[in-house]
Amino acid sequence: MSKCDSVGFVTKFRDIIEGIGGSRTEGYALLGLLLMGGLAVAGPSGLLAWSENLSLRDQRQAQLSVLVEERDALKNRVALLNPDHADPDMVGELLRSQMNVVHPDEVVVQLED
């Protein structure tokens, strides 16, 4: 926009305001209200962005529910491995899987892939 165009715009804006019968102050107040109304509709938190914000919230709630389930499973596993009263089944499972420990009367059968 050139300088001529901006001067022309300001002149037209003044003419519109004076045509309505208001002063400069009222014109600036009207411009401010129009700007706030435009931001309320098309701004980053306006009506047009509302549905996008709702879909993001739904996605994050789904992620949160998955994380809560994982946390609860880990809490349960930690409780079962408490040194004061460890669950014998959990201890046996960990010994077999991580340290390759078996009972003397067990037979290990390896399956070929």
Side-chain angles (χ1 to χ4, degrees), residues 23-75:
S23 65
R24 278 189 183 168
T25 306
E26 290 172 348
Y28 292 132
L30 177 64
L31 180 65
L33 287 174
L34 290 174
L35 179 66
M36 285 190 290
L39 287 174
V41 171
S45 60
L47 295 175
L48 298 178
W50 194 265
S51 64
E52 183 180 344
N53 290 339
L54 289 177
S55 66
L56 283 173
R57 186 193 69 183
D58 292 341
Q59 289 174 356
R60 290 192 176 131
Q61 282 181 342
Q63 289 174 346
L64 180 63
S65 65
V66 168
L67 291 174
V68 166
E69 287 176 12
E70 288 179 17
R71 183 196 63 193
D72 291 341
L74 288 173
K75 272 185 178 181

Side-chain angles (χ1 to χ4, degrees), residues 88 92-93 95-96 100-108:
E93 177 186 331
L95 282 173
R96 286 182 176 85
N100 294 326
V101 176
V102 295
H103 289 290
D105 60 344
E106 290 181 337
V107 176
V108 176

